[in-house]
Amino acid sequence: MTETVVSSATKTVKIGFDRPFCVIGERINPTGRKKLAAEMAAGDFATVEADTLAQVAAGANMLDVNAGIPLADEPAILAKTIQLVQSLTDLPLSIDSSIVAALEAGLAVYQGRPLVNSVTGEDDRLEAVLPLIKKYDCAVVAISNDETGISEDPDVRFAVAKRIVERAADHGIKPCDIVVDPLVMPIGALGQAGNSAFRLIRRLREELRVNTTCGASNVSFGLPARHGLNAAFLCMAACAGMTSAIMNPLHAEEMTAVLGADVMLGKDKDCRRWLTKFREPTPEAAERGERRRRRA
Amino acid sequence: MTETVVSSATKTVKIGFDRPFCVIGERINPTGRKKLAAEMAAGDFATVEADTLAQVAAGANMLDVNAGIPLADEPAILAKTIQLVQSLTDLPLSIDSSIVAALEAGLAVYQGRPLVNSVTGEDDRLEAVLPLIKKYDCAVVAISNDETGISEDPDVRFAVAKRIVERAADHGIKPCDIVVDPLVMPIGALGQAGNSAFRLIRRLREELRVNTTCGASNVSFGLPARHGLNAAFLCMAACAGMTSAIMNPLHAEEMTAVLGADVMLGKDKDCRRWLTKFREPTPEAAERGERRRRRA
């Protein structure tokens, strides 16, 4: 049974076929957030702090940290952001950058075993990122595109993922340390985006036996009532075998979908997490809580 | 590609692998609704009328009609209810009873080609119901239990469904006229109920090539926040291949789940139904609508 082990200095999280769905909070990312980008570039991390605490409180299992700000010193800002976030939470982090020097700067300061986001199937990326994964003994998100771009054919994307897993093995990296992103396209533009993703997720799980993740909200890009579509997608992807997603834990519909999917797949033992979140207290329990609050 | 064709006097609905999910409204059913049972027994059909119109307005594709009232003349009441409902809507109906004489009374008055709900794998039921299905050339819900009860093993339930399909063939009834109910158990009592259902739905589709349905809300029995669980289940069952459900179309979370699942499976061409339901009007369109309302 495949398990990807990530950790902070004090907390271990396992992404796995029989584990509850792993919610990777996406908020600490200045892409498309001009105000946050300006703040981070100016050394103001108040929003990063707030986003960290809010995502932890909302039930994220990991946090993605991205510092991609045009013309800024991304390696330095990413390293600083990671140190700050690790001082605020014990959740393991995903170190997110397309710049190898930034990944390396992040890895150098990270406490624990992070997930590196990401490597693609392009030769130069593989040769730049895989040695880092081996050197720091960590896990990596593998995006199933290569020099030829993103194929619409899920079987071509499967072949790219397979090649990444093989190349990683050449570097001494195990399949359990690779979390494949099937690249979910906007369904409003590509009507088969869902079917392609579900087919690919199934093949990745059954044939390559790797964990999977994706940027879930991409599927609803350009459509109204996005939370409803994201929720449907998350349940269906989980049913097809997806084991994590980079998503916004502050959205109740998506989080309910993920918790509901765990119940349905028998991953929430005795429905404990569902009951903790949704059970109305009995009148007696409510009164006990009230008395406790008054005494405090 | 399997298609189950049902109709009223003027409208045909096809349940099928490549068709949008078929929502069968469950409301016209006195089971557990004491007031409705008393009304129907007394010949008062005001609630039946209201439930018919509300379910049609909410977007149901078919309506289930049940008149199971203890000590009442079920065949007569069921026939009367069907005639009334057919006078109010052109949606095809599912004639729902465990009493063969009631099914026969309903079939005798029904205009079009109904779905009969249901037959089980018990010998006496098969021999009583299948000849009616053949005689009236209609479709039937087959419930995957038999004399031995309801197995927890999805493969045993598959075998029961297979036997029903074979017995139906002996009566000259085609597999496309059989919609199998995999019998979804409450997940709060049976943690593997979801996994069992999804596995069974997949096998029924891929191996028996039959359409499937179920009483969807049963899965969340006894748990809080049932709509969230039902929504997750519906999306996941649709992803596994389920093509219809007997459910409450008045619940927004479940209907959004079904519409979202259709988008994800490429069954809502160009997302038209999703856009019709959820698109915010542009300021110009809103103004045009406002002017039209003022003129009216």
Side-chain angles (χ1 to χ4, degrees):
Chain A
M1 184 214 348
T2 300
E3 284 194 337
T4 305
V5 179
V6 290
S7 65
S8 64
T10 54
K11 190 185 181 85
T12 295
V13 166
K14 292 177 183 174
I15 306 173
F17 292 180
D18 291 337
R19 298 274 169 184
F21 196 87
C22 181
V23 173
I24 307 173
E26 73 182 6
R27 293 293 292 159
I28 304 171
N29 190 334
T31 313
R33 295 178 77 188
K34 268 193 188 168
K35 193 165 158 285
L36 176 60
E39 279 177 24
M40 288 172 78
D44 172 0
F45 290 89
T47 302
V48 170
E49 267 193 55
D51 283 344
T52 301
L53 300 177
Q55 293 185 102
V56 172
N61 307 107
M62 292 178 64
L63 300 182
D64 187 78
V65 177
N66 179 303
I69 304 161
L71 306 176
D73 182 357
E74 188 175 327
I77 301 175
L78 185 58
K80 195 166 170 195
T81 309
I82 285 166
Q83 288 177 301
L84 173 74
V85 173
Q86 288 212 294
S87 75
L88 296 169
T89 177
D90 63 355
L91 293 188
L93 305 185
S94 150
I95 302 177
D96 182 1
S97 178
S98 55
I99 292 173
V100 177
L103 293 179
E104 185 142 30
L107 283 164
V109 300
Y110 187 84
Q111 302 284 313
R113 188 173 207 261
L115 181 64
V116 166
N117 185 7
S118 58
V119 69
T120 67
E122 294 159 292
D123 267 324
D124 58 336
R125 303 294 302 172
L126 289 166
E127 288 317 308
V129 176
L130 293 180
L132 282 181
I133 305 306
K134 180 62 185 170
K135 176 179 168 191
Y136 287 93
D137 179 30
C138 56
V140 66
V141 173
I143 301 190
S144 53
N145 72 319
D146 62 10
E147 287 83 357
T148 64
I150 303 173
S151 171
E152 282 188 28
D153 181 345
D155 296 332
V156 171
R157 279 196 254 161
F158 177 83
V160 174
K162 188 160 180 277
R163 204 166 65 87
I164 299 176
V165 169
E166 287 163 359
R167 288 286 282 274
D170 295 341
H171 286 264
I173 300 161
K174 285 183 258 175
C176 68
D177 282 327
I178 300 171
V179 180
V180 176
D181 181 341
L183 274 171
V184 178
M185 312 304 286
I187 194 108
L190 263 172
Q192 290 305 308
N195 286 324
S196 292
F198 304 141
R199 177 178 164 81
L200 182 47
I201 290 165
R202 262 189 220 107
R203 288 198 68 193
L204 289 167
R205 179 175 177 132
E206 287 166 13
E207 298 176 45
L208 273 194
R209 306 199 63 73
V210 289
N211 279 309
T212 41
T213 197
C214 75
S217 64
N218 201 37
V219 78
S220 62
F221 181 79
L223 291 171
R226 292 187 66 175
H227 300 313
L229 288 174
N230 295 345
F233 171 76
L234 284 164
C235 289
M236 298 168 87
C239 194
M242 195 166 74
T243 45
S244 72
I246 300 168
M247 56 184 274
N248 188 339
L250 305 180
H251 291 151
E253 277 164 278
E254 282 92 323
M255 285 300 273
T256 300
V258 164
L259 289 173
D262 275 346
V263 171
M264 289 305 148
L265 295 173
K267 293 176 165 190
D268 181 5
K269 192 161 163 44
D270 300 328
C271 306
R272 273 181 216 151
R273 285 191 310 148
W274 186 268
L275 289 168
T276 302
K277 189 167 171 87
F278 293 109
R279 186 162 44 192
E280 306 260 337
T282 59
E284 295 73 26
E287 204 182 305
R288 274 199 305 276
E290 185 54 37
R291 261 183 273 145
R292 218 176 294 132
R293 268 190 298 280
R294 272 193 221 134
R295 276 201 303 272
Chain B
M1 186 211 351
T2 301
E3 284 193 339
T4 305
V5 179
V6 291
S7 66
S8 65
T10 54
K11 189 184 183 88
T12 295
V13 166
K14 293 176 182 172
I15 305 172
F17 291 180
D18 291 337
R19 299 273 170 186
F21 196 88
C22 181
V23 173
I24 307 173
E26 73 181 6
R27 291 294 290 159
I28 305 171
N29 189 333
T31 314
R33 294 177 77 188
K34 269 192 187 171
K35 192 165 159 285
L36 175 60
E39 280 177 23
M40 289 172 76
D44 172 1
F45 289 88
T47 302
V48 170
E49 269 193 55
D51 283 344
T52 301
L53 300 176
Q55 291 185 102
V56 173
N61 307 107
M62 293 179 65
L63 299 182
D64 187 78
V65 177
N66 179 303
I69 304 162
L71 306 176
D73 182 357
E74 187 175 329
I77 301 176
L78 184 58
K80 196 167 169 194
T81 309
I82 285 167
Q83 287 177 302
L84 173 74
V85 173
Q86 287 213 294
S87 75
L88 295 169
T89 178
D90 62 356
L91 294 188
L93 305 186
S94 151
I95 302 177
D96 182 0
S97 179
S98 55
I99 293 173
V100 177
L103 293 178
E104 185 142 32
L107 283 163
V109 299
Y110 187 84
Q111 303 283 315
R113 186 172 208 262
L115 181 63
V116 166
N117 184 8
S118 56
V119 69
T120 67
E122 294 157 294
D123 267 324
D124 59 336
R125 302 295 303 173
L126 288 165
E127 287 319 306
V129 177
L130 293 179
L132 282 181
I133 305 304
K134 179 64 184 170
K135 176 179 169 190
Y136 286 94
D137 178 30
C138 57
V140 66
V141 174
I143 301 192
S144 52
N145 70 320
D146 63 10
E147 287 84 356
T148 63
I150 303 172
S151 171
E152 281 188 29
D153 181 345
D155 296 332
V156 171
R157 280 196 253 162
F158 177 84
V160 174
K162 188 159 181 277
R163 204 166 66 88
I164 299 177
V165 169
E166 287 163 0
R167 288 286 283 273
D170 295 341
H171 285 264
I173 300 161
K174 285 183 259 174
C176 68
D177 283 327
I178 300 170
V179 180
V180 175
D181 181 341
L183 275 171
V184 178
M185 311 305 286
I187 194 107
L190 261 172
Q192 290 305 307
N195 286 325
S196 291
F198 305 142
R199 177 177 164 83
L200 181 47
I201 290 165
R202 263 189 219 107
R203 288 198 69 191
L204 289 166
R205 178 175 178 133
E206 287 166 12
E207 297 175 44
L208 274 193
R209 306 199 63 73
V210 291
N211 279 309
T212 40
T213 197
C214 75
S217 63
N218 201 36
V219 78
S220 61
F221 181 78
L223 290 171
R226 292 187 65 174
H227 300 312
L229 287 174
N230 295 344
F233 172 76
L234 284 164
C235 289
M236 296 169 88
C239 194
M242 193 166 75
T243 46
S244 72
I246 301 169
M247 55 184 275
N248 188 340
L250 305 179
H251 290 151
E253 278 165 277
E254 282 90 325
M255 286 300 274
T256 300
V258 164
L259 289 172
D262 275 347
V263 170
M264 290 303 148
L265 295 173
K267 293 175 164 190
D268 180 5
K269 193 164 160 45
D270 299 329
C271 307
R272 273 181 216 152
R273 285 191 310 148
W274 186 267
L275 289 168
T276 302
K277 189 165 171 88
F278 293 109
R279 186 160 43 192
E280 304 261 335
T282 60
E284 295 74 24
E287 205 182 304
R288 275 198 305 277
E290 186 51 37
R291 263 184 270 146
R292 218 175 294 132
R293 269 190 298 280
R294 273 193 221 134
R295 277 200 304 274

